[in-house]
Amino acid sequence: MAPRAKVQPTQVEVTFDRDEVIVSKTDPTGRITYANDVFLKVADYRASEVLGMPHNMIRHPEMPRCVFQLLWDTIQKGDEIFAYVVNLTKNGDHYWVLAHVTPTFDEAGKIIGFHSNRRTPDRSAIQAIRPIYARLCEIEGRHASKRDGIAAATEELLALLANNGVSYGEFVFGLVEKETAQ
């Protein structure tokens, strides 16, 4: 497969209906093995363009790498995770999701892939997470190596969670609860 050309963000947000669910599945290395019609419609790809490609092909540059590292570490341990994610479409537009990512196991309990359901998040949760993600990206960008940047931003994220006395999952759902309480 040919490498994908670098897409420049347009700053245009696309949305999808609250009753729609974006679904994708990957192999254990993160290569897409399934993408539903909603995924293809919102991301503006054909199935032939995404199948077999790394799922990070839709990674938006304003999405902190440390959050993906946390996500990846969590699911590789066999646990599920919920996370707010901003993704990039084929033409550079973006869309926000509340992702629920789970490992898929075989009969012997071995991870054979990952499954992600993504729904449209509440607007107030997006507004709350944006400055946090901007700060994490800024920290990542201060370092010459991606690894050092991810480590520094992860430290910041873990400090934020500790200061609030919550796990990452509690933090994510706390943003939703704040929206429904208003």
Side-chain angles (χ1 to χ4, degrees), residues 1-165:
M1 275 173 231
R4 186 175 74 101
K6 186 160 177 75
V7 176
Q8 294 300 315
T10 63
Q11 304 304 317
V12 173
E13 182 172 2
V14 296
T15 59
F16 56 104
D17 291 336
R18 284 196 136 343
D19 63 343
E20 293 183 298
V21 179
I22 295 173
V23 179
S24 59
K25 297 179 184 181
T26 70
D27 68 14
T29 67
R31 293 199 175 271
I32 299 170
T33 59
Y34 172 81
N36 75 344
D37 290 342
V38 180
F39 177 103
L40 298 172
K41 177 185 76 170
V42 174
D44 196 30
Y45 282 100
R46 294 185 315 271
S48 62
E49 295 175 299
V50 299
L51 296 177
M53 297 299 292
H55 205 285
N56 68 4
M57 72 182 286
I58 59 171
R59 182 188 172 280
H60 194 284
E62 293 174 9
M63 182 65 203
R65 292 177 184 276
C66 69
V67 174
F68 279 125
Q69 186 66 54
L70 173 66
L71 185 150
W72 191 247
D73 291 347
T74 301
I75 61 176
Q76 284 188 320
K77 288 189 302 189
D79 297 328
E80 67 181 343
I81 191 168
F82 290 85
Y84 289 101
V85 178
V86 59
N87 288 320
L88 196 62
T89 70
K90 182 179 178 178
N91 74 343
D93 295 345
H94 68 276
Y95 59 100
W96 282 92
V97 297
L98 174 56
H100 177 212
V101 187
T102 60
T104 303
F105 301 95
D106 67 10
E107 301 79 26
K110 179 182 174 195
I111 295 174
I112 58 171
F114 303 101
H115 181 272
S116 179
N117 290 332
R118 296 173 306 281
R119 296 189 177 274
T120 188
D122 293 311
R123 296 309 301 175
S124 66
I126 295 170
Q127 295 309 317
I129 203 72
R130 268 191 172 132
I132 296 167
Y133 281 8
R135 171 82 175 128
L136 296 173
C137 285
E138 186 268 323
I139 291 168
E140 290 175 356
R142 278 193 252 146
H143 295 80
S145 86
K146 285 182 186 176
R147 179 174 290 171
D148 291 345
I150 291 170
T154 298
E155 188 175 311
E156 178 82 5
L157 177 59
L158 294 176
L160 170 72
L161 298 174
N163 288 340
N164 287 290

Side-chain angles (χ1 to χ4, degrees), residues 84 125 166 168-180:
Y84 289 101
V166 295
Y168 185 76
E170 291 167 326
F171 171 73
V172 167
F173 284 111
L175 294 176
V176 173
E177 289 168 8
K178 288 176 186 171
E179 164 66 15
T180 57

